[in-house]
Amino acid sequence: MGLVVCYLPNESLSSPQGRKTSPLVIMEEFHPFVTGMILCMGLFFVFVSNFSITESAHFSTMHITYLMMGVDVVALVVGLCFGRLMKGFPRLVAYLSPMSYAFAFILLAYTNSLASTTTALMLIGIANGVGIPYMNTKASLHAGRDRVNIIMPIMSAALYLGQFISPLLVGLFSNCFVHDPRTPYKTAIVFSLIYLLQVAVTKKSQFQFTHQ
Protein backbone atom coordinates (compact mmCIF):
# COMPACT_ATOMS: atom_id res chain seq x y z
CA MET A 1 0.00 0.00 0.00
CA GLY A 2 2.76 2.43 0.97
CA LEU A 3 4.72 1.73 -2.22
CA VAL A 4 1.62 2.32 -4.35
CA VAL A 5 0.85 5.64 -2.66
CA CYS A 6 4.41 6.93 -2.79
CA TYR A 7 5.77 5.71 -6.10
CA LEU A 8 3.02 4.76 -8.53
CA PRO A 9 1.80 8.22 -9.63
CA ASN A 10 4.10 9.71 -12.26
CA GLU A 11 1.84 12.70 -12.69
CA SER A 12 0.74 15.38 -10.28
CA LEU A 13 -1.88 14.44 -7.75
CA SER A 14 -4.41 17.22 -7.91
CA SER A 15 -7.60 18.07 -6.12
CA PRO A 16 -10.83 18.87 -8.00
CA GLN A 17 -9.89 22.56 -7.67
CA GLY A 18 -6.59 21.96 -9.46
CA ARG A 19 -4.33 22.23 -6.40
CA LYS A 20 -1.57 19.69 -6.03
CA THR A 21 -2.32 17.19 -3.31
CA SER A 22 0.13 15.01 -1.39
CA PRO A 23 -0.29 11.23 -1.15
CA LEU A 24 -1.13 11.55 2.54
CA VAL A 25 -3.95 13.97 1.74
CA ILE A 26 -5.22 11.56 -0.91
CA MET A 27 -5.25 8.73 1.64
CA GLU A 28 -7.06 10.93 4.15
CA GLU A 29 -9.68 11.86 1.57
CA PHE A 30 -10.27 8.31 0.35
CA HIS A 31 -9.95 6.45 3.66
CA PRO A 32 -13.66 5.45 3.81
CA PHE A 33 -13.28 3.44 0.61
CA VAL A 34 -9.78 2.11 1.29
CA THR A 35 -10.69 0.99 4.83
CA GLY A 36 -13.95 -0.49 3.62
CA MET A 37 -12.11 -2.53 0.98
CA ILE A 38 -9.58 -3.82 3.51
CA LEU A 39 -12.36 -4.92 5.88
CA CYS A 40 -14.46 -6.47 3.12
CA MET A 41 -11.63 -8.58 1.74
CA GLY A 42 -10.27 -9.41 5.18
CA LEU A 43 -13.64 -10.86 6.17
CA PHE A 44 -13.96 -12.80 2.93
CA PHE A 45 -10.60 -14.47 3.50
CA VAL A 46 -11.55 -15.45 7.03
CA PHE A 47 -14.07 -17.68 5.29
CA VAL A 48 -11.67 -18.84 2.56
CA SER A 49 -8.87 -19.68 4.99
CA ASN A 50 -10.91 -21.48 7.63
CA PHE A 51 -14.08 -22.97 6.19
CA SER A 52 -12.75 -26.26 4.82
CA ILE A 53 -10.75 -27.05 7.96
CA THR A 54 -13.43 -26.00 10.42
CA GLU A 55 -16.29 -27.76 8.67
CA SER A 56 -14.46 -30.99 7.82
CA ALA A 57 -15.95 -32.58 10.94
CA HIS A 58 -19.51 -31.87 9.76
CA PHE A 59 -19.45 -32.18 5.96
CA SER A 60 -17.77 -34.36 3.38
CA THR A 61 -15.05 -33.01 1.12
CA MET A 62 -17.51 -33.01 -1.77
CA HIS A 63 -20.08 -30.96 0.18
CA ILE A 64 -17.43 -28.45 1.22
CA THR A 65 -16.26 -28.11 -2.39
CA TYR A 66 -19.77 -27.45 -3.68
CA LEU A 67 -20.53 -25.00 -0.87
CA MET A 68 -17.38 -22.97 -1.51
CA MET A 69 -18.04 -22.95 -5.25
CA GLY A 70 -21.55 -21.70 -4.50
CA VAL A 71 -20.12 -18.59 -2.82
CA ASP A 72 -18.46 -17.53 -6.07
CA VAL A 73 -21.60 -18.23 -8.06
CA VAL A 74 -23.69 -16.07 -5.73
CA ALA A 75 -21.06 -13.32 -5.81
CA LEU A 76 -21.08 -13.42 -9.62
CA VAL A 77 -24.88 -13.14 -9.84
CA VAL A 78 -25.00 -10.32 -7.29
CA GLY A 79 -22.16 -8.53 -9.08
CA LEU A 80 -24.09 -8.68 -12.35
CA CYS A 81 -27.08 -7.11 -10.58
CA PHE A 82 -25.00 -4.50 -8.76
CA GLY A 83 -25.84 -1.63 -11.12
CA ARG A 84 -29.56 -2.09 -10.54
CA LEU A 85 -29.04 -2.31 -6.79
CA MET A 86 -27.08 0.95 -6.80
CA LYS A 87 -29.79 2.73 -8.78
CA GLY A 88 -32.70 1.34 -6.79
CA PHE A 89 -31.28 1.36 -3.27
CA PRO A 90 -28.25 3.70 -3.24
CA ARG A 91 -28.22 4.24 0.52
CA LEU A 92 -29.07 0.70 1.58
CA VAL A 93 -26.41 -0.94 -0.60
CA ALA A 94 -23.68 0.54 1.61
CA TYR A 95 -24.90 -1.53 4.57
CA LEU A 96 -25.61 -4.74 2.67
CA SER A 97 -22.06 -6.08 2.68
CA PRO A 98 -21.25 -5.65 6.41
CA MET A 99 -24.68 -6.84 7.53
CA SER A 100 -24.47 -9.91 5.29
CA TYR A 101 -21.06 -10.74 6.70
CA ALA A 102 -22.27 -10.31 10.27
CA PHE A 103 -25.28 -12.62 9.85
CA ALA A 104 -23.20 -15.14 7.89
CA PHE A 105 -20.51 -15.47 10.53
CA ILE A 106 -23.07 -15.65 13.33
CA LEU A 107 -24.61 -18.64 11.57
CA LEU A 108 -21.22 -20.24 10.99
CA ALA A 109 -20.09 -19.64 14.58
CA TYR A 110 -23.15 -21.01 16.36
CA THR A 111 -24.77 -23.54 13.99
CA ASN A 112 -23.54 -26.39 11.84
CA SER A 113 -26.53 -27.71 9.90
CA LEU A 114 -26.42 -27.90 6.12
CA ALA A 115 -29.29 -25.42 5.77
CA SER A 116 -27.74 -22.78 8.05
CA THR A 117 -24.28 -23.24 6.52
CA THR A 118 -25.68 -22.90 3.00
CA THR A 119 -27.52 -19.73 4.04
CA ALA A 120 -24.35 -18.35 5.61
CA LEU A 121 -22.32 -18.96 2.47
CA MET A 122 -24.98 -17.33 0.30
CA LEU A 123 -24.73 -14.28 2.55
CA ILE A 124 -20.95 -14.27 2.18
CA GLY A 125 -21.38 -14.37 -1.59
CA ILE A 126 -23.76 -11.41 -1.37
CA ALA A 127 -21.37 -9.50 0.89
CA ASN A 128 -18.42 -10.02 -1.42
CA GLY A 129 -20.43 -9.48 -4.60
CA VAL A 130 -21.68 -6.13 -3.33
CA GLY A 131 -18.80 -4.91 -1.19
CA ILE A 132 -16.00 -4.88 -3.76
CA PRO A 133 -17.85 -3.17 -6.64
CA TYR A 134 -19.47 -0.76 -4.19
CA MET A 135 -16.15 0.48 -2.79
CA ASN A 136 -14.56 0.70 -6.24
CA THR A 137 -17.56 2.53 -7.69
CA LYS A 138 -17.79 5.05 -4.87
CA ALA A 139 -14.03 5.67 -4.90
CA SER A 140 -14.00 6.26 -8.67
CA LEU A 141 -17.00 8.60 -8.46
CA HIS A 142 -15.34 10.50 -5.65
CA ALA A 143 -12.08 10.78 -7.59
CA GLY A 144 -13.60 11.93 -10.86
CA ARG A 145 -11.94 11.57 -14.25
CA ASP A 146 -8.80 13.45 -13.28
CA ARG A 147 -7.86 11.20 -10.37
CA VAL A 148 -9.46 7.83 -11.05
CA ASN A 149 -6.17 6.46 -12.43
CA ILE A 150 -4.58 7.33 -9.07
CA ILE A 151 -7.17 5.92 -6.68
CA MET A 152 -7.92 2.62 -8.41
CA PRO A 153 -4.39 1.19 -7.89
CA ILE A 154 -4.70 2.21 -4.25
CA MET A 155 -8.02 0.34 -4.04
CA SER A 156 -6.38 -2.72 -5.60
CA ALA A 157 -3.59 -2.52 -3.03
CA ALA A 158 -6.21 -2.28 -0.25
CA LEU A 159 -7.92 -5.40 -1.61
CA TYR A 160 -4.73 -7.45 -1.37
CA LEU A 161 -3.80 -5.92 1.97
CA GLY A 162 -7.12 -7.15 3.37
CA GLN A 163 -6.37 -10.62 2.01
CA PHE A 164 -2.97 -10.85 3.66
CA ILE A 165 -3.74 -9.30 7.06
CA SER A 166 -6.81 -11.51 7.54
CA PRO A 167 -4.94 -14.59 8.85
CA LEU A 168 -2.74 -12.38 11.03
CA LEU A 169 -5.77 -10.90 12.79
CA VAL A 170 -7.45 -14.27 13.20
CA GLY A 171 -4.23 -15.76 14.55
CA LEU A 172 -3.88 -12.95 17.05
CA PHE A 173 -7.39 -13.50 18.40
CA SER A 174 -6.94 -17.27 18.43
CA ASN A 175 -3.89 -16.93 20.65
CA CYS A 176 -5.74 -14.66 23.07
CA PHE A 177 -8.64 -17.03 23.80
CA VAL A 178 -9.18 -20.66 24.75
CA HIS A 179 -8.82 -22.84 21.66
CA ASP A 180 -12.08 -23.07 19.78
CA PRO A 181 -12.23 -24.21 16.13
CA ARG A 182 -14.88 -21.54 15.52
CA THR A 183 -12.81 -18.66 16.92
CA PRO A 184 -12.11 -17.37 13.36
CA TYR A 185 -15.86 -17.02 12.79
CA LYS A 186 -16.35 -15.28 16.12
CA THR A 187 -13.46 -12.96 15.31
CA ALA A 188 -15.11 -12.22 11.98
CA ILE A 189 -18.34 -11.25 13.76
CA VAL A 190 -16.40 -8.56 15.64
CA PHE A 191 -14.81 -7.23 12.46
CA SER A 192 -18.14 -7.35 10.63
CA LEU A 193 -19.54 -5.02 13.29
CA ILE A 194 -16.46 -2.79 12.92
CA TYR A 195 -17.10 -2.78 9.15
CA LEU A 196 -20.74 -1.82 9.74
CA LEU A 197 -19.69 0.95 12.13
CA GLN A 198 -17.12 2.19 9.62
CA VAL A 199 -19.82 2.46 6.94
CA ALA A 200 -22.18 4.26 9.31
CA VAL A 201 -19.52 6.75 10.44
CA THR A 202 -18.32 7.53 6.90
CA LYS A 203 -21.70 7.40 5.15
CA LYS A 204 -21.77 11.15 4.51
CA SER A 205 -18.65 11.07 2.33
CA GLN A 206 -19.82 7.87 0.64
CA PHE A 207 -23.33 9.05 -0.17
CA GLN A 208 -22.20 12.51 -1.21
CA PHE A 209 -21.20 11.23 -4.65
CA THR A 210 -24.06 8.80 -5.31
CA HIS A 211 -25.69 10.82 -8.08
CA GLN A 212 -22.59 12.10 -9.88
Side-chain angles (χ1 to χ4, degrees):
M1 175 73 75
L3 293 174
V4 170
V5 173
C6 293
Y7 297 109
L8 180 65
N10 290 319
E11 56 193 282
S12 297
L13 298 176
S14 60
S15 67
Q17 292 75 31
R19 297 189 300 270
K20 288 186 177 180
T21 307
S22 70
L24 290 178
V25 172
I26 289 288
M27 288 300 295
E28 180 181 358
E29 180 181 352
F30 288 92
H31 75 85
F33 317 110
V34 173
T35 304
M37 181 66 82
I38 293 172
L39 289 169
C40 181
M41 286 307 296
L43 286 164
F44 180 71
F45 274 89
V46 171
F47 154 72
V48 171
S49 302
N50 296 279
F51 181 77
S52 60
I53 298 173
T54 305
E55 303 302 330
S56 60
H58 306 289
F59 304 109
S60 68
T61 302
M62 187 64 69
H63 277 127
I64 290 174
T65 300
Y66 286 141
L67 287 168
M68 295 188 74
M69 287 173 55
V71 172
D72 291 332
V73 173
V74 172
L76 172 63
V77 173
V78 172
L80 292 174
C81 299
F82 176 74
R84 294 184 179 182
L85 290 172
M86 279 289 288
K87 290 181 180 179
F89 311 96
R91 294 180 179 272
L92 296 179
V93 170
Y95 297 98
L96 184 56
S97 180
M99 290 182 66
S100 295
Y101 273 130
F103 285 121
F105 285 113
I106 288 171
L107 289 172
L108 290 174
Y110 298 104
T111 66
N112 55 27
S113 69
L114 180 59
S116 63
T117 302
T118 301
T119 302
L121 267 59
M122 290 178 65
L123 288 170
I124 290 175
I126 292 171
N128 193 44
V130 169
I132 295 175
Y134 176 81
M135 292 300 168
N136 281 332
T137 299
K138 302 303 289 187
S140 61
L141 288 173
H142 189 125
R145 293 182 180 180
D146 295 336
R147 298 186 297 168
V148 69
N149 62 324
I150 301 299
I151 189 57
M152 294 316 295
I154 294 175
M155 295 298 292
S156 295
L159 185 152
Y160 289 109
L161 180 61
Q163 174 182 344
F164 288 112
I165 67 171
S166 176
L168 299 178
L169 294 174
V170 171
L172 177 64
F173 272 74
S174 298
N175 293 331
C176 292
F177 298 100
V178 178
H179 177 70
D180 177 355
R182 296 187 180 270
T183 294
Y185 298 153
K186 295 175 182 178
T187 303
I189 295 171
V190 175
F191 280 95
S192 297
L193 297 177
I194 293 173
Y195 184 15
L196 181 61
L197 179 63
Q198 184 264 344
V199 170
V201 170
T202 62
K203 64 182 180 181
K204 182 177 180 181
S205 59
Q206 292 187 26
F207 296 154
Q208 182 180 357
F209 295 89
T210 298
H211 300 294
Q212 287 191 3

